[in-house]
Amino acid sequence: MSLPGEQNRDPSVALPRAIVMGVVVILAFGVILGRLWYLQIGQGEAFRDRSLNNFVQSKRLDHARGEIVDREGRVLVSNRPSLDVSVTPAFFPNAKRMMVRLGLSAGLSRAEALDKAKALSAAVRDGGSAFLLATVDEERAEAVRARQRQLEVPLEAVPILEAPADADGNPAFAVYVDPNRFPSTTLVLRRLRALLELDDDAMKKLRGRIGRARGLRRYRDIPVRRDVQPALEGRLSLLVQLGELPGVSVRRSNARDYPHGALAAHVLGYTNELSKDELQARKGQGYQMGDTTGRRGVEKTFEDELRGTDGRETVVVDSKGRSQRTGLAKQLMDEVGVFEPPAPGNRVVLTLDLDLQRAAEQAFEGRKAGSVVVIEVDTGRLLALTSTPSFNPQLVSGYFDPAEKARLDGMRALRPWRFRAIQDYFAPGSTFKVVTALAALKAGVTHVHEKVRCPGAFRLGKARWRCWKESGHGLVDAELSLAQSCDVYYYTLGARMGLDPIAEMGRNLSFGDRTGIALSGESRGIMPDQDWYAKRELYTLGAAVNVSIGQGAVSATPLQLAVAYAALGNGGTVYEPQIALRIETYDGKESREVPPVVRRRLDLEPQHLATVREGLRQVVNEPFGTAKRSRLKDLQFSGKTGTAQVARMGKKRVKSRDLEWKVRDHAWFSAFAPSTDPQIAVVVFVEHGGGGSSAAAPVARDVIDAWWRKRQRQASLPNEPLRIAVVDDAREPRP
Amino acid sequence: MSVRRLVGQADRPLLITLFFIIGLGLYNLASAGQPLGRSLHVSHGAHIAVGLGVMATVAAVHYRNLEGLAYPIFGLCVTLLVATSLFGKLVNGSRRWLVLGPVNIQTSDLAKVAVILVVAKAFHMERWEGGLTLRDIFRPFNLSRPLVVIAAVLALSLFGEGLKPAKLKMKRGRKFRTVQTLGPDHARIQLGREKGEGLLGVKRSGVAPVHAEIVRNGEGDYTLRDLGSEAGTFVNGMRVTEAALEDGDVIRLGLSQRAEIRFSASIQKLRTALPFLAVLGAGWLFLAGFLQLRKGGWKADDLVAPIDVVMVPCVLILAQPDLGTTLVVLLIAFSMILFVGVRPLSLAILAISGVAFGTLAWFTLLKPYQKERVTTFLNPEGDLAGAGYHQHQSLIAVGSGQVWGKGHGQGTQTQLSFLPEQQTDFIFSVWAEEQGFIGSAFLVVLFCAFILASLRIAARARDRFGALLAVGATAMIFWHAIVNMLMVLRFAPVVGVPLPLWSNGGSFVLTTMIAVGLVLNVSMRRNMF
């Protein structure tokens, strides 16, 4: 049977074509197999690493910065828990969405609901009052309540009141919306602002950062305020827990604690966050965004000791960066997780004695600006180091307290940030006369018994220099010249030997160069010699005359003077002044002593030294001494007053206290105690304080008195004297 | 003829590989569903169960009866496609889904089956020996060709912009979306910060409350005018106070990159081509009419051509727009026609003109952003955050599976949601990650065996219609599988083609099962009359 087109139905031609197609199919799947081979076997390792990078995130484990304690182990700086507030834009309430959904539940159309959402945002912005969403029947009211619970909108944000029944007598309800309670981003920010007392500037910045967060960055935290006042903690945590602040999180972290406030602030320094540029510069050292670093003082110079190292912990995250706690995540942790515990920073034990530091600051009270230095004569270790005015590191670290900022800005003229003990240098005035005396004796231009006549002034050519005592001192020898601070005696010696012998002695006693203390920003001061003057102006003998009484170009930091007087006290050894006594690990198991460093031993004739020391003793302890009013009953100490001229005096002598503060003389007092067998050297500098004997000496006396009394107390308790001191302080060192 | 005997005729290798593929697919979906918190294997299993029923039904009806039903089914599908472009659900700017009561149908899936049927019907009576020429396939001098050109010219000049309105598009997320349609109803659109009547809101920094306006002067002829804004208005980066807009121009309000608006008016290009098209249409019509007259006599075949049954659904699907599915439909039809046979010379001409057209299109027709898509595919590392991201993550998933895989439910890329679309387009990556090279090679071999088994059925079919039907169904499954795998392995761009029987999605599971049903149908009637 042959139907039309039957020959066209013959299927035999299909076979060869199917075979060709089959080959093409095999080739195509072969390509897939080859690609799989390349990806899974050839590049498998590389892709495995990349998949690890996808889900393994390294989390830092915070660690404590090292403590700073005084020589007796009393805490000067430690850490305390702090409260940080941040916001996560992704978790802010979406008022519009919630409002629309509530509106739909209340039976509004989508357009109406959108209108209500707009009305809500307008009311929130303008602080409007509650408005009606809809009047509904009982069933709808239930629906609204259910939706509200589902959306976690607080009950009081959507008050539902009974309304007059409808025509059929069915109960009706009026659903209101309270814009002051309905969760919205604006409301959250407003509450946050009120709580943290943020100013306009901070709010603008915060809004900007929130606005710029898009995509996955909306899940990242934006810090609002570090270290919130502890008083706010309760309210903040409560509000967060009640859900009144959706999108706001409060987290604990470590903040630096300075329990003694402004005490020794310049020595200790403070800490705050690294800036972007610094972060860039210190990348190699493992600093990261948000890390704090020491600023000024020990916090800065001992940064590497105090810092410690962060721990590391791996976290398994999903594609949105959320950490996972599923079985798979735990299993992956076992396979690829690492845990490195954090290492707290080392403890720096300072040479400072808290008692003495406190005594020094108390003794200085009432004076506007200046510094006190107390140093151990036989080691160069500093017992106290003050600089006034000061700042409170507690209020400066991390979040700069606005009140403290205002206070510090208010006294800008007094330069509160300046560490006067080491950074500022001033003419040392008469305290420098010991250098001139020793230089002249050494140079042989005089001997210990020579008497020079002081008629109240000194002439050299046409020039005339006044002695501070107009009537003159009469015949003056080395001892008396120190005791009464006769200027003419030194003018004479200066003119006899010229500048260079003075400069040499000065340099040997540490003037004109850094003492080497481990604090940053130390100044050199100036110890001019002939070359120095020749390079700048003309060197004349007049320069030597000026420098001989510590005026002219010579200037020194209080610390330099302290080092020099310590050398006088110990018989001629110049030590490097030290602030750190010992570095310990956080648990105290290992420690490293910082040994005293001798910089120079002066070759002084015992007779010369004895004469100078006797002169200094008389300054305080003889009725004719310039600091006789500052003597102590039960302890003899030696010292030298200094009154350094700031403004050139006119012909008429003016009493310093009648002058404007800025041009008043600087007051100095340099001392060591006790007079026989000296233990400590003390330098007091009062900026524009007036006379050394009236402004500076009493401070030194109080400090020495405090030191002596503590020493007496310890001597009467021969066994374990240090224990008492530790109990004295309420704070226990943190482990 | 007993049912038992009929079932006994069903092809064993095909069924065995089919059930292996289905079983492994369900097992794999169980893992892929975990991070989504959904039991996908259950719903997918339900779809498969329904699909098996449909498959049995399709296999039960003798395909000769289907041959008779081919054109009615085709007509129904075209109707559904037209309905979809008119009433379909708009998702991401395209209409692909028709909502019929509780079910959503992706009508282009059904069109694939219809095209297989109708191509088999149209081509099985062609001259197989020696192969077809291009003229046989396209019939360039059939009257319908010039008539379509003339109809297009008429429609364009009559309705103009109504057919293809000018649009303003802005970047929303990663894609450009239409934010404003222009036309006679919107003859004046102002651009500014606030939204309002006749005011398009562009809420970006630096944009003035009323920044600029676009005024319509005529068909596709629009002028952009700056309204004294402080930040300025830019066209293609040049500051302007007034400018005539051209298709593809980028308008920027102020300096913000994010305040860029793309002006699209393809009507402009079409309008310039209109006179040329009209002349072309007229000349063509004249020539076709002359040839027809000389031959004498009229048949229905002289009006249309077999290839039209492919072109009509393709145009409709392309208009949705759905480029991926259009390509697949073309590939299916192309495979079937190749099976019928094409002369080598014709194939060469086709290949050369394809390359020539592609080159021409690159330099003239394609807009910059379309070129960008192509370059993104060629150099995916350049755009990891954007379009390249999906394939990048997929490659990591596949590669990190290594030889043995990470184990079922243990794939980090899958379980921690790094893999995009892991239950649909990238389902193969899940398998490759968790089962390694061993597992994925096994699957590839399985698919290959399945395709070869069904080709074998085609080769042994009782008649040419059956063979062609089986080839079409095989081609559909093959092309989906191969394009999907190439895409997952970054040998092809992301086109949204699912992996048959594995990707979650009821509509395509049913389509695939119908296709398998067709192949089974052919296999069962091999020895029967």
Side-chain angles (χ1 to χ4, degrees), chain A residues 4-15 17-19 21-26 28-33 35-41 43-45 47-52 54-55 214 316-320 322 324 326 328-329 331-332 335, chain B residues 64 67 124-125 128-129 258 335 338-341 381 392-393 395-396 398-403 406 409-410 412-413 415-418 428 432 436-437 440-441 444 447-448 451-452 455 458-459 461-464 467 471 478 482 485-486 489-491:
Chain A
E6 184 70 5
Q7 75 279 5
N8 279 355
R9 292 191 177 273
D10 171 22
S12 58
V13 291
L15 184 61
R17 286 171 195 175
I19 290 173
M21 282 201 165
V23 171
V24 172
V25 166
I26 290 171
F29 281 112
V31 168
I32 301 285
L33 276 183
R35 178 69 167 165
L36 283 170
W37 179 280
Y38 170 77
L39 291 175
Q40 300 191 294
I41 294 175
Q43 305 281 309
E45 288 288 327
F47 279 117
R48 201 188 103 86
D49 289 349
R50 288 166 93 165
S51 84
L52 279 183
N54 260 351
F55 70 83
R214 278 173 210 289
V316 170
V317 295
D318 70 358
S319 59
K320 284 187 175 157
R322 298 173 294 210
Q324 302 288 299
T326 55
L328 175 66
Q331 193 185 323
L332 290 169
E335 285 169 30
Chain B
R64 289 255 175 85
E67 186 182 340
H124 83 283
M125 293 299 279
W128 287 37
E129 292 78 10
R258 303 183 63 246
S335 311
L338 273 183
F339 193 80
V340 170
E381 311 287 341
H392 181 71
Q393 292 298 346
L395 275 198
I396 291 178
V398 173
S400 64
Q402 296 181 279
V403 181
K406 297 176 184 171
Q410 314 273 301
T412 54
Q413 291 287 99
Q415 305 301 337
L416 300 174
S417 316
F418 290 99
F428 182 59
F437 180 75
S440 31
V444 170
F447 262 104
C448 189
I451 299 292
L452 290 178
L455 268 180
R462 236 189 70 76
D463 52 31
R464 290 186 182 179
V471 164
F478 169 73
I482 210 83
M485 286 179 180
L486 289 172
L489 303 176
R490 209 166 72 190
F491 265 3

Side-chain angles (χ1 to χ4, degrees), chain B residues 249-308:
Chain B
D249 276 350
V250 176
I251 303 166
R252 201 178 68 218
L253 306 183
L255 296 170
S256 168
Q257 280 284 324
R258 303 183 63 246
E260 279 189 351
I261 304 167
R262 187 172 282 160
F263 176 74
S264 124
S266 32
I267 190 85
Q268 284 183 348
K269 271 196 183 127
L270 290 174
R271 278 182 68 82
T272 51
L274 221 51
F276 171 74
L277 282 177
V279 170
L280 180 82
W284 198 348
L285 184 64
F286 180 75
L287 193 64
F290 175 73
L291 290 174
Q292 199 71 54
L293 275 180
R294 218 178 55 166
K295 205 177 79 175
W298 292 84
K299 283 191 297 176
D301 273 12
D302 295 331
L303 190 65
V304 293
I307 194 72
D308 292 349

Side-chain angles (χ1 to χ4, degrees), chain A residues 544-588:
Chain A
V545 173
N546 273 333
V547 170
S548 69
I549 61 156
Q551 294 283 162
V554 65
S555 36
T557 65
L559 182 65
Q560 285 173 336
L561 265 172
V563 170
Y565 272 73
L568 296 184
N570 65 28
T573 308
V574 176
Y575 283 96
E576 182 180 284
Q578 281 174 337
I579 191 69
L581 192 63
R582 177 163 83 237
I583 312 284
E584 298 176 344
T585 51
Y586 75 98
D587 48 11

Side-chain angles (χ1 to χ4, degrees), chain B residues 109-132:
Chain B
D109 276 345
L110 293 180
K112 290 168 192 165
V113 177
V115 164
I116 294 169
L117 264 179
V118 86
V119 168
K121 163 96 178 160
F123 279 88
H124 83 283
M125 293 299 279
E126 294 286 330
R127 182 166 38 82
W128 287 37
E129 292 78 10
L132 301 170

